[in-house]
Amino acid sequence: MPHQKRRKDLRNIAIIAHVDHGKTTLVDALLRETHAHKFKEGDVTIMDSNPLERERGITIFSKNASLQYKDIRINIVDTPGHADFGSEVERILRMVDGVLLLVDAFEGPMPQTKFVLRKSLELHLKPILVVNKIDRPGSRPHEVVDLTFDLFCELNATDEQLDFPIVFTSAKEGKATLDLDEEAVDMKPLLETIIHRVLPPVADPELPFQMLVTMLDYDSYIGRISTGRVVHGSVKSGETIALVKRDGEIRRGRVTKILSYQGLRRIEAESGQAGDILSIAGLDDVKVGETLADAANPMALKTIKVDEPTISMNFSHNTSPFAGRDGGRFLTSRHIRERLEHEAMMNVGIKVEPTENGEAYKVSGRGELHLSILIETMRREGYELEVSRPQVILRTIDEEVVEPVEEVFVEVDEGYQGAVIQALGSRMAEMRSMQVSAIGTIRLEFLVASRALIGFRGEFLTMTRGTGIMYQNFYKYQPFKGEMPSRHVGVLISQQEGAAVAYALWGLQERGALFVRPGEDLYEGMIIGSTNKGQDMVVNAQREKKLTNIRAAGSDEAIQLVPVQDMTLEFALEFIDDDELVEVTPKHIRLRKKILNDSERRRSYKKS
């Protein structure tokens, strides 16, 4: 085997971690240390630029940063920590030669750590263990190192991968050390470890140009932008290159712009060479996993295998009586179709197919969070749409129907473990382990069919008084597990259009939980609450108190209403049943029956 050429002046690394272990804060610290970004007063988690990421405190979209240390450029990619964005993680890891595995010095390795680490070990990447938050009260760094070593063994890491360097950090304070007995001063120990332990990228500038497209972006000014790592050769602005499609078809186009990274900014470059992470504009019909190559010698690279979608939902334009009232700018099915096609083009984990009636589109993704992020993004962009209940995608393998099964990790206080075990037991869950964590909570691990988890998260939070923590990762497909218990509550359905009246709601609240407040506009067929009994009830929420000229003792008491259930998108998607829809507009999230009229609804039930 010929000796591989490597670029000594470059290192490409990804940061992988569980949600909320401090990935983005660590990148802040490295950018500050190397003066790669001008921070304003109060700037934190600078990589989480998307408003949804800031609100939820999680990384959803992977992003690149570049910094210069000594005479070496370090490209850093921040990856999502949530299993629903597995397709994103898988692609990003193809661009790098090493990973920083970030673990909380108090919590230790968590479920998502296992998921992302498994992906990186499969790609034979060398990890650097970063034990973060050593300044946190109750931190136990040495114990966490042992637990992480056990995790590596469990994931069948090679001897070379088990010989990982360890750096202890406090990203918040911008300090790192290789030895806890020595005082940490700055982030230099971590930067030195990256330079010495991450291999320089294999890169031969003499070979014909090849780049695997791992991310796509769109700019209304320069068109579609393909991002990836240049594997071989070099590329210049203005030259003609080839696009090798998945099916082997070759198209040619001219490079109109090359962008590279400086800190967090994209800057225009004249050229790029093997090892660089670049963004190239000029080719329009690009998809993730395809190869940009030398026009004279177009050779394809191995394409990316993406996790298959496990959940689907139907998206269609808003058909409620209130359509167009909430300031939505995109109201037609054509608008919805164009937006979903654009998303499927950029987001390799999403699949869009037309349905039989032609008005709705079946959108498949990796999980409820994956799809709810898309819905929330569309809502903020001014779309009005209605979505159906999430459905699990079943497959047939060797003439046997199989369904996706997830690993579920639950952490609860001791008093709630019985209720949680019972609730998951009724959903045919298989318990794999139970142990006491470092802080005295109970950690439970289950295998549960994805189908059984739809709607469980809200119930779980109620059951544990909001104190429970639950994570889930896709495990594998297993034989279909039969009928599952469905929603055990019925719903209160508005009888007519009009504003909700406090007096009417006061009379209804003893029947169950309300979703609407006095004064809110309602329409016929809209769901305004849940009933304690399993049946649906059509109710009059506009009924006013009859006024007479006789005063009766006790009849003029002040009306006291119980606080209503906040209508979040997650709650709505988990709550609805098969004959219901979630209406999503820029200002409101409402629940409704698919068939709004009561007598028509009853006729349709009889037919079915």
Side-chain angles (χ1 to χ4, degrees):
M1 189 175 161
H3 179 68
Q4 291 179 315
K5 291 187 180 176
R6 292 184 180 272
R7 264 188 75 179
K8 301 281 194 294
D9 63 337
L10 189 64
R11 301 290 185 275
N12 293 323
I13 58 163
I15 300 193
I16 59 176
H18 182 76
V19 177
D20 205 28
H21 276 198
K23 287 194 302 293
T24 313
T25 313
L26 186 77
V27 176
D28 285 358
L30 291 172
L31 291 169
R32 273 199 173 93
E33 181 73 40
T34 54
H35 309 292
H37 180 80
K38 288 189 174 74
F39 282 81
K40 299 188 190 78
E41 189 66 38
D43 269 2
V44 288
T45 58
I46 199 83
M47 291 278 268
D48 283 348
S49 51
N50 184 284
L52 268 177
E53 296 181 310
R54 288 193 168 277
E55 282 168 31
R56 291 165 185 254
I58 61 170
T59 301
I60 297 168
F61 309 101
S62 45
K63 287 167 285 299
N64 303 350
S66 178
L67 45 96
Q68 195 83 18
Y69 179 65
K70 296 184 173 173
D71 53 354
I72 292 174
R73 190 160 98 247
I74 301 172
N75 288 322
I76 299 178
V77 192
D78 187 10
T79 62
H82 202 285
D84 276 16
F85 306 104
S87 55
E88 193 94 357
V89 174
E90 189 126 353
R91 290 179 287 152
I92 300 323
L93 293 177
R94 287 290 194 90
M95 296 202 290
V96 299
D97 302 286
V99 291
L100 296 182
L101 172 65
L102 197 65
V103 180
D104 189 305
F106 175 68
E107 291 184 353
M110 297 287 271
Q112 246 81 354
T113 320
K114 185 177 177 178
F115 159 76
V116 230
L117 181 61
R118 183 190 286 132
K119 298 260 185 213
S120 56
L121 293 178
E122 282 168 5
L123 290 167
H124 310 292
L125 296 173
K126 286 188 178 170
I128 295 171
L129 175 61
V130 180
V131 181
N132 192 28
K133 303 191 185 180
I134 52 169
D135 55 325
R136 186 175 168 179
S139 69
R140 44 189 190 123
H142 293 301
E143 205 177 319
V144 164
V145 170
D146 294 342
L147 289 168
T148 311
F149 188 83
D150 293 344
L151 178 63
F152 272 77
C153 296
E154 190 187 323
L155 295 174
N156 300 321
T158 62
D159 290 349
E160 197 181 2
Q161 286 169 330
L162 284 170
D163 181 27
F164 51 81
I166 302 161
V167 184
F168 301 97
T169 64
S170 166
K172 206 172 173 184
E173 293 180 359
K175 294 177 180 178
T177 178
L178 301 179
D179 187 344
L180 285 170
D181 296 332
E182 292 174 14
E183 193 188 344
V185 181
D186 52 27
M187 295 302 286
K188 286 194 175 71
L190 177 57
L191 290 163
E192 289 288 342
T193 308
I194 291 169
I195 286 172
H196 294 117
R197 297 299 290 262
V198 174
L199 287 170
V202 172
D204 191 340
E206 314 295 309
L207 289 172
F209 168 66
Q210 277 180 307
M211 178 179 119
L212 186 70
V213 179
T214 44
M215 287 194 282
L216 286 173
D217 203 350
Y218 186 82
D219 183 293
S220 51
Y221 177 59
I222 56 175
R224 199 171 308 184
I225 302 166
S226 315
T227 300
R229 169 173 150 184
V230 182
V231 179
H232 293 306
S234 58
V235 62
K236 290 189 184 71
S237 189
E239 76 175 328
T240 301
I241 58 171
L243 163 65
V244 186
K245 307 285 287 174
R246 277 179 187 267
D247 58 5
E249 185 193 344
I250 293 168
R251 295 182 187 179
R252 285 177 172 75
R254 198 170 66 84
V255 178
T256 54
K257 249 191 181 51
I258 296 177
L259 303 165
S260 69
Y261 289 86
Q262 186 175 33
L264 291 172
R265 288 181 306 122
R266 268 186 182 158
I267 54 165
E268 203 167 328
E270 279 306 305
S271 64
Q273 58 170 317
D276 287 334
I277 292 176
L278 296 178
S279 297
I280 293 177
L283 289 100
D284 269 350
D285 192 27
V286 191
K287 290 194 170 65
V288 167
E290 295 176 343
T291 305
L292 299 183
D294 184 68
N297 189 3
M299 301 278 288
L301 290 161
K302 187 181 170 193
T303 58
I304 299 166
K305 176 185 160 289
V306 175
D307 289 344
E308 285 293 313
T310 57
I311 276 188
S312 69
M313 291 159 78
N314 286 350
F315 284 48
S316 67
H317 64 289
N318 188 6
T319 58
S320 93
F322 292 173
R325 275 204 204 174
D326 283 353
R329 291 180 297 134
F330 306 107
L331 308 173
T332 65
S333 56
R334 179 180 63 83
H335 286 136
I336 303 286
R337 186 190 75 235
E338 286 171 359
R339 177 64 181 82
L340 291 174
E341 283 172 353
H342 176 80
E343 186 66 29
M345 197 168 66
M346 300 297 168
N347 185 342
V348 73
I350 292 245
K351 243 190 205 161
V352 178
E353 305 155 87
T355 56
E356 288 167 10
N357 73 5
E359 290 288 306
Y361 298 90
K362 181 183 171 187
V363 181
S364 308
R366 284 284 304 137
E368 279 178 89
L369 179 66
H370 194 197
L371 292 176
S372 70
I373 293 289
L374 169 60
I375 297 166
E376 185 63 44
T377 307
M378 287 176 69
R379 174 191 178 194
R380 290 175 186 216
E381 289 169 1
Y383 286 84
E384 285 199 17
L385 62 154
E386 51 193 34
V387 294
S388 70
R389 184 183 189 212
Q391 298 285 350
V392 163
I393 299 169
L394 303 177
R395 289 198 200 160
T396 306
I397 298 174
D398 300 331
E399 296 184 4
E400 184 178 31
V401 177
V402 292
E403 65 176 332
V405 171
E406 314 220 3
E407 293 176 299
V408 175
F409 303 88
V410 169
E411 196 165 318
V412 291
D413 293 334
E414 201 174 333
Y416 303 124
Q417 74 187 68
V420 171
I421 292 169
Q422 186 180 347
L424 282 168
S426 70
R427 287 171 153 78
M428 303 185 194
E430 176 193 324
M431 190 154 110
R432 295 173 81 194
S433 76
M434 175 170 158
Q435 58 201 65
V436 181
S437 73
I439 50 173
T441 53
I442 308 290
R443 272 191 192 167
L444 305 163
E445 190 181 330
F446 298 89
L447 284 184
V448 195
S450 303
R451 218 163 22 109
L453 289 170
I454 295 173
F456 178 67
R457 191 175 289 274
E459 198 179 309
F460 170 74
L461 288 172
T462 309
M463 199 185 297
T464 59
R465 306 283 189 279
T467 61
I469 300 170
M470 178 174 133
Y471 303 106
Q472 58 203 75
N473 288 333
F474 174 70
Y475 179 59
K476 64 178 181 185
Y477 277 85
Q478 287 187 345
F480 187 71
K481 299 188 186 303
E483 284 302 308
M484 291 280 175
S486 57
R487 185 177 75 190
H488 58 269
V489 296
V491 291
L492 299 171
I493 306 161
S494 176
Q495 186 180 24
Q496 62 202 34
E497 194 167 318
V501 173
Y503 178 73
L505 296 179
W506 178 67
L508 292 172
Q509 67 183 6
E510 63 190 34
R511 296 181 184 278
L514 293 176
F515 302 158
V516 295
R517 294 175 174 83
E520 268 187 53
D521 285 330
L522 312 178
Y523 54 80
E524 182 187 6
M526 183 172 153
I527 295 169
I528 62 167
S530 63
T531 63
N532 301 329
K533 295 177 180 171
Q535 288 99 11
D536 293 353
M537 289 175 65
V538 177
V539 296
N540 180 357
Q542 286 89 0
R543 187 167 62 92
E544 300 202 354
K545 185 179 180 185
K546 288 193 168 50
L547 299 175
T548 67
N549 57 1
I550 301 165
R551 294 189 61 183
S555 66
D556 290 333
E557 295 163 0
I559 289 172
Q560 288 190 325
L561 291 173
V562 176
V564 302
Q565 165 71 48
D566 271 344
M567 192 48 67
T568 62
L569 189 56
E570 276 77 12
F571 170 79
L573 292 175
E574 287 186 350
F575 181 80
I576 57 169
D577 220 330
D578 292 337
D579 66 335
E580 294 161 4
L581 296 169
V582 181
E583 177 190 347
V584 182
T585 73
K587 292 181 184 167
H588 289 101
I589 291 169
R590 301 183 183 99
L591 303 182
R592 53 164 285 189
K593 287 288 183 184
K594 279 184 184 171
I595 301 170
L596 297 177
N597 182 273
D598 184 41
S599 48
E600 284 177 30
R601 202 163 50 242
R602 286 171 194 274
R603 274 201 296 278
S604 77
Y605 292 156
K606 278 178 188 166
K607 282 179 192 169
S608 59

